[in-house]
Amino acid sequence: MENCQCYRRETLLEKSLLHPGPGKEELGVENSVGAWQEQKTKTSLPRSPTGTVSTDPPRTDTDNVKPLAGVKILDLTRVLAGPFATMNLGDLGAEVIKVERPGVGDDTRTWGPPFVGTESTYFLSVNRNKKSIAVNIKDPKGVKIIKELAAVCDVFVENYIPGKLSAVGLGYEDVDKIAPHIVYCSITGYGHTGPMSQRAGYDAVASAISGLMHITGPEDGDPVRPGVAMTDLATGLYAYGAIMAGLIQRCKTGKGVFIDCNLLSSQVACLTQVAANYLIGQKEGQRWGTAHGSIVPYQGIEWARRLDLKAAYSVAIDPGFYGLYEHQCWEWDVVTEMGKEASDI
């Protein structure tokens, strides 16, 4: 299929069917398996380090081929969500070409301390397995370079505000004309349509708007931002999965695809049961600290550290402390009293 390559290992059975030995006819399924088993008994069987005979098929060079070997990613993203997605693709063997601004590079190169030499550990944490070039995409010559790279790449990833790349000739419609095979992933704050589409996306803001901060923190305290940028990371994982699906779809259709991935939608999707509680049960989410709105006991309790751990475990597995919704309020009172008693020990 033109402009499309699928990479996968041939199974032992496929090899016997597709690559018969010299002077042999192609074997049927049953004969292929039988022939391999017969051949295996005639050769010296591999042994494990313990000396026992291994019955696994012999390993070949294809065992070391990574799933995305040969796939090229053109990465125009910066900061966290986009680089996290492309780094995961690189971990699977893809060749990632990171495009940065001349002179300054990715914003996170200077986000420190700590630093390793002149590079921040923040930047290093999400940019391994990548090659880097500096291109000024505001210059027509730079745009030409990006288009030439896109023509020979499989995936194009960017995280600009909608319309910014189209203004310089690098939007999806522009790239699709010269690379119809491209899997084009656009990561934004709030999508390509709607009243907030032109806003820049920031993890803390999207975390607040989505409701994640509303349900994070102590029960009687203020909303809290998670210790890492979970909204950015979740968006990066959604983008990563969508790109993988796009590559599979291209192998089936021979055509590229446009992926619209944004911070707000990704984080709302991650609210899972909290969102379902409201949409289905009309129960608004709230902060529980380390506790849980549906499971008791769940939270970290001081008495669990002070009392015998075996006794604490026996309480945790007691049927009276879980699975009985009608007694949940009673259970909360018991757990609270246990915490008070532990503080007096």
Side-chain angles (χ1 to χ4, degrees):
M1 184 178 295
E2 185 179 0
N3 293 326
C4 178
Q5 294 180 330
C6 294
Y7 301 90
R8 65 183 181 88
R9 287 181 53 189
E10 292 178 350
T11 64
L12 186 63
L13 179 58
E14 288 173 321
K15 289 179 180 178
S16 65
L17 290 171
L18 300 176
H19 310 294
K24 297 181 180 179
E25 296 180 354
E26 291 192 10
L27 301 174
V29 173
E30 294 181 0
N31 289 337
S32 297
V33 175
W36 175 76
Q37 290 177 338
E38 181 180 355
Q39 180 184 9
K40 185 175 69 172
T41 59
K42 294 180 180 179
T43 58
S44 58
L45 296 176
R47 294 180 176 272
S48 70
T50 61
T52 58
V53 175
S54 172
T55 58
D56 295 333
R59 297 182 66 83
T60 66
D61 291 339
T62 58
D63 292 320
N64 297 321
V65 176
K66 291 189 175 182
L68 295 183
V71 174
K72 292 182 172 62
I73 315 289
L74 188 57
D75 180 8
L76 273 72
T77 66
R78 64 256 188 233
V79 186
L80 185 53
F84 186 60
T86 55
M87 180 186 70
N88 279 283
L89 295 168
D91 287 347
L92 292 183
E95 179 183 354
V96 182
I97 303 171
K98 183 178 178 69
V99 178
E100 303 186 59
R101 293 177 297 169
V104 292
D106 191 312
D107 305 56
T108 60
R109 284 184 180 272
T110 60
W111 286 12
F115 292 93
V116 177
T118 60
E119 302 290 2
S120 73
T121 56
Y122 192 115
F123 173 82
L124 296 174
S125 72
V126 289
N127 286 286
R128 63 173 176 266
N129 294 329
K130 299 179 184 180
K131 300 176 181 178
S132 179
I133 60 172
V135 180
N136 181 6
I137 62 173
K138 295 181 180 180
D139 188 314
K141 293 181 180 179
V143 172
K144 182 181 178 182
I145 292 173
I146 298 301
K147 287 185 175 180
E148 290 175 351
L149 287 170
V152 297
C153 285
D154 301 281
V155 179
F156 186 111
V157 192
E158 55 90 2
N159 64 347
Y160 286 80
I161 293 175
K164 294 295 184 181
L165 286 186
S166 295
V168 298
L170 291 175
Y172 172 67
E173 296 78 8
D174 304 300
V175 175
D176 183 57
K177 291 177 182 177
I178 55 136
H181 65 282
I182 205 81
V183 175
Y184 190 111
C185 179
S186 176
I187 300 174
T188 61
Y190 307 97
H192 282 252
T193 59
M196 300 175 65
S197 62
Q198 294 303 301
R199 294 188 184 183
Y202 296 99
D203 173 88
V205 177
S207 178
I209 296 176
S210 67
L212 176 62
M213 287 179 61
H214 176 71
I215 60 173
T216 305
E219 186 174 357
D220 56 352
D222 295 327
V224 174
R225 173 186 172 276
V228 293
M230 284 308 306
T231 300
D232 273 342
L233 295 174
T235 305
L237 288 175
Y238 272 114
Y240 159 69
I243 290 168
M244 296 288 282
L247 288 171
I248 294 174
Q249 179 172 319
R250 192 187 70 176
C251 284
K252 297 178 178 180
T253 66
K255 298 179 181 179
V257 64
F258 176 75
I259 298 169
D260 177 1
C261 192
N262 68 79
L263 301 183
L264 181 59
S265 295
S266 297
Q267 186 54 67
V268 169
C270 288
L271 294 181
T272 56
Q273 93 279 1
V274 175
N277 289 346
Y278 180 78
L279 295 173
I280 300 173
Q282 290 75 54
K283 183 177 180 179
E284 185 174 346
Q286 68 177 82
R287 290 181 291 284
W288 289 99
T290 62
H292 196 289
S294 303
I295 305 172
V296 179
Y298 194 92
Q299 69 275 45
I301 306 174
E302 183 67 20
W303 60 266
R305 293 194 296 269
R306 293 171 180 259
L307 300 179
D308 182 80
L309 291 179
K310 184 176 180 180
Y313 176 74
S314 66
V315 171
I317 63 174
D318 190 313
F321 283 90
Y322 69 93
L324 299 176
Y325 177 79
E326 62 271 20
H327 297 304
Q328 186 170 336
C329 293
W330 172 80
E331 292 170 5
W332 271 114
D333 292 339
V334 171
V335 171
T336 301
E337 288 303 317
M338 286 182 175
K340 290 180 180 178
E341 291 176 8
S343 64
D344 296 331
I345 297 177

